[in-house]
Amino acid sequence: MVKKFFSRFYLGLILLFLYAPIFILIILSFNKSKSRSRWGGFTFTWYHNLFQDEAIMEALRNTLIIALLAAIIASVIGTCACLAISNMKKIPRGILLGISNVPMMNADIVTGISLMLLFIALNYPLSFSSILMSHITFNIPYVILSVMPRLTRQNAIIYEAARDLGATKSYAFFKIILPDIFPGILSGFLLAFTMSLDDFVITYFTKGAGFDTLSTIIYTEVRKGIKPEMYALSTLLFISILILLVLINRKKDKEHGEKPLRNA
Amino acid sequence: MKRITALLLLCSLILTSTGVVTGCSKSNSPKLLVYNWGEYIDPEVEKLFEKETGINVVMSYYEQNEDMYPIIATGSQKYDVVCPSDYMVEKMIGEGLLAKIDYNNIPNIKNIDPSYLKSAEQFDPGNQYSVPYCWGTVGILYNKTMIKEPIDSWGALFDKDFIEKNGYAGDILMINSVRDAFAIALSYLGYSINSTDEAQIDEAKKLLQEQKPLVDAYVVDQVRDKMIGGESPIGVIYSGEAIFTRRENPDLEYVVPKEGSNVWIDGWVIPKNAPNKEYAEKWINFMCDPEIALKNFNYITYSTPNKAARELITDEDIKNSPIAFPGQDVLDRCTTYHYLGEKMDALYIKKWNEVKSVQ
Amino acid sequence: MNTKKWLSYPYTIWMGIFVIIPLFIIIYYGFTAEGGGFTLSNISLITDPINLASLWLSLELSLVSTAICLLLAYPLSLILHGMKLKNNSFIIMIFILPMWMNFLLRTLAWQNILEKTGVINTFLKLLHLPALDLINTPGAIIFGMVYNFLPFMILPIYNSLSKISDDYINAARDLGANSLLTFLKVILPLSLPGVVSGITMVFVPSLTTFVISDILGGSKVVLIGNIIEQQFKTVNNWHTGSGLSLVLMVFILFSMAILTKYDKESEGKNIW
């Protein structure tokens, strides 16, 4: 009982730690003052302005499309690579995994400028696709690092067993391997998505004229003060994702029991 | 896995729906590519320009001169008109990155106060490449309720006795920008803010090192909020921000110290590789229109060099504000930055890092 | 099972174009002077005492925050795993969701919490307790780093724990192992690959960050990330910036090599 209390308490503490700044953002979205450090009264102005602001809405759309596409493509490329790499001998395996860490090891500005120089050298116009390719590149290591630990010897044994029992290669793959590594792919996808959402420097150097994501807007606004519309947007995004999550979770709770869960 | 698919489907639904709302608006009508600081123009002005000329404005933003420079220098993105600061204009002229402006297309130049054009000649001789847009000074912002003695000198940031007497040791917000920090120290020591004498720079470095224990944080953009909230008693700030902070917190006072300071000018320039010089000149001319300059001034609160616009200001307090429009005596003791070359930049950075490395 | 090699081709081609070629661009810049001649001076710049000190400081901060992340994340993952929740992805989402708000906005929000006039100190004042010096200290830098990187430690560890079959644990218990022994001999070794991934995802990126130090630490120190950024931007010398980057990269590779030496579990085996 005491142990249970402590674990709940600990869990609550970590969640408070992670969510504390989000509460601040929500409060600031109702602050009449443009300054984050003075409470100027309660207002809905920023929400109203937000929907009038085409630039922010377009940046939101760009941000989501890039993050989603980059994370999906990186997940596919990364997962395939993991499947192949896990079969390799030590040296090629070490080299391929080492390469994947390069984008992580460089400061953002180094990755950003070197990618920009690459696109210039290839005479490739900076545009939506150049940002997308850059994001896929720095997303791949996160997918690999998430999927790799889920690929262990156990999979191989069950997979072989399934094959011996007459399962086709693809059947055994989709029924044995994929479900088993899926949580890894999912967290890789989510981490990749997170990295894409937040990136400023690499996007800045690989974007075309007039193209903005939320990050590029926020970072360039810093000098003159961040527009409170950004707090309003964050609040709306946060609340809607949270509601969505809870809804999906409740629906799932009702459904469960029909099939056993493999990870429990 | 169904759950995930549902989530993905929902995401794509949101994407497409926002796509329908905001997408496919601007097509192949003529366009002007503007590269500007973030939040450095009234968005309404863009719309007015589009209305008057039928040219679509495509805006891109940067946070610092140094972010903008590699983009223009490598030509990775091409812009019609850009708004760099003085020393960066000088550097870009030196490297042949800018096109000369044809003043026949900019009749509104007559609205710009000749004294600012003269100041701009310090970095752009003959005003051939740039047209001033905004300007300001660097000074001290302090909270009158927290510091009782009036301040008129950079000594308020360095003089230990004064600081301890007024009880703000360890609470100073020093500026986190190499040239600005050294300019302050150099001015206090009585040297030029464009000094290239290593002995002088060393002396300034020592002063900054001694100042470090008195400093709470080195910041640029956060001075505003920290001063408004009463978190800090004193900080270094640009004059344009001082107007905004004083509106939010009337206890704050801004001074340009008697030893002199930096006056900076941001100006419109046209890169050599600009796709459309004609539109760029139309834009610059539009920006010099008094009504438009006034709109921008009201929005960004940075001083305008536009004489005609200043006369249109109805609020007498702002019109005669010594912060927005300091007297000639203040301007006389202020200097613009010069581009000192890569070697000097490296030296300044090295000395600055030595300041930061002191524990 | 060796026919699966083709699965790595998209990855290899992708990395070849978008990682190896840019890497060669950095190497080219790192080993040449402004005029174009070969030089080692960019590389040897790291021996400058200030640069060296900044490298050590970055290393120190990254190591400490990685260790704290690990210490916080491992028990948390054990607790989550122990709760036997049906919805794995729900858990994952709860920990990742705060990260979807912009990094800069979140970090600035921490200022509101930690400042002298911030939430915590206002609260302490109400309780008539002495104010705490929280912001603009080295502690605040580590705090910010832990905050920003914690989910990158939680997810891989939780994932590798959730993979451990209960059968193993029951077997160990049946054979007479107590819970500590079961943890040390069964759970910990099996979760090691996740731990290694987590450490990589926290330690490597945190070596080059400096924004947290600038916003929460009051920018009173110089980190290696600051130095590289200055060389690229303020000094505008891509050669020296690239040279320092290369040194840092070799340095990280070296540390990673040491780390993966301990990652024996998945080493060089045929996996499926």
Side-chain angles (χ1 to χ4, degrees), chain A residues 55 126 200 203-204 207-213 216-217 220-221, chain B residues 26 31-41 46 56-64 67-68 71-72 77-83 268 283:
Chain A
L126 293 179
F200 162 65
T203 311
Y204 177 83
K207 79 187 184 76
F211 190 93
D212 272 305
T213 63
T216 60
I217 291 191
T220 50
E221 266 174 8
Chain B
K26 288 164 189 173
K31 61 180 179 182
L32 171 79
L33 302 169
V34 183
Y35 204 19
N36 193 8
W37 302 80
E39 281 292 286
Y40 211 41
I41 190 168
E46 285 171 51
N56 273 321
V57 178
V58 178
M59 275 278 175
S60 288
Y61 309 99
Y62 53 89
E63 194 213 339
Q64 297 172 339
D67 288 324
M68 172 276 297
I71 302 286
I72 301 297
Q77 300 167 33
K78 293 182 177 60
Y79 290 99
D80 295 314
V81 59
V82 191
C83 187
W268 293 109
W283 171 265

Side-chain angles (χ1 to χ4, degrees), chain C residues 33-229:
Chain C
E34 198 97 340
F38 175 84
T39 177
L40 284 175
S41 60
N42 302 321
I43 304 285
S44 60
L45 211 66
I46 193 70
T47 55
D48 179 279
I50 297 285
N51 297 350
L52 214 51
S54 73
L55 178 61
W56 288 128
L57 186 62
S58 302
L59 186 67
E60 205 180 306
L61 290 172
S62 314
L63 278 176
V64 172
S65 43
T66 309
I68 296 177
C69 279
L70 184 60
L71 286 177
L72 288 176
Y74 205 98
L76 183 81
S77 309
L78 278 176
I79 291 171
L80 290 176
H81 178 58
M83 286 164 78
K84 304 266 179 236
L85 289 162
K86 304 290 176 212
N87 283 332
N88 255 324
S89 38
F90 183 69
I91 303 279
I92 294 178
M93 279 306 299
I94 288 296
F95 287 95
I96 206 103
L97 180 57
M99 303 288 125
W100 285 7
M101 306 297 112
N102 186 278
F103 162 74
L104 198 64
L105 296 185
R106 273 182 291 130
T107 313
L108 287 171
W110 272 117
Q111 285 196 335
N112 279 28
I113 301 176
L114 300 176
E115 272 172 352
K116 279 172 253 171
T117 51
V119 176
I120 293 179
N121 277 327
T122 312
F123 192 66
L124 288 176
K125 212 170 155 190
L126 282 176
L127 298 174
H128 297 286
L129 290 169
L132 293 174
D133 227 355
L134 298 167
I135 202 153
N136 303 331
T137 57
I141 305 177
I142 292 184
F143 184 89
M145 281 168 122
V146 170
Y147 170 73
N148 200 46
F149 288 112
L150 187 61
F152 292 85
M153 189 67 95
I154 296 176
L155 292 200
I157 296 182
Y158 175 67
N159 258 326
S160 59
L161 281 178
S162 70
K163 194 176 160 53
I164 301 172
S165 157
D166 281 348
D167 300 342
Y168 287 166
I169 296 163
N170 292 335
R173 289 306 197 86
D174 288 348
L175 293 170
N178 61 20
S179 40
L180 181 69
L181 204 60
T182 316
F183 174 73
L184 287 178
K185 291 283 175 190
V186 180
I187 300 178
L188 190 63
L190 285 175
S191 64
L192 221 49
V195 173
V196 171
S197 279
I199 291 177
T200 314
M201 280 195 275
V202 175
F203 176 72
V204 177
S206 66
L207 259 180
T208 54
T209 54
F210 55 89
V211 181
I212 296 168
S213 141
D214 283 359
I215 296 180
L216 295 180
S219 196
K220 284 190 274 193
V221 292
V222 205
L223 300 178
I224 190 73
N226 287 111
I227 301 238
I228 292 174
E229 161 128 342

Side-chain angles (χ1 to χ4, degrees), chain A residues 166-209:
Chain A
T168 63
K169 273 184 185 172
S170 64
Y171 187 82
F173 173 76
F174 282 108
K175 286 288 166 185
I176 307 287
I177 303 289
L178 194 62
D180 210 46
I181 61 172
F182 190 75
I185 302 177
L186 178 66
S187 65
F189 167 84
L190 291 172
L191 289 177
F193 186 78
T194 311
M195 295 310 291
S196 272
L197 281 185
D198 260 349
D199 176 70
F200 162 65
V201 179
I202 298 170
T203 311
Y204 177 83
F205 283 110
T206 53
K207 79 187 184 76

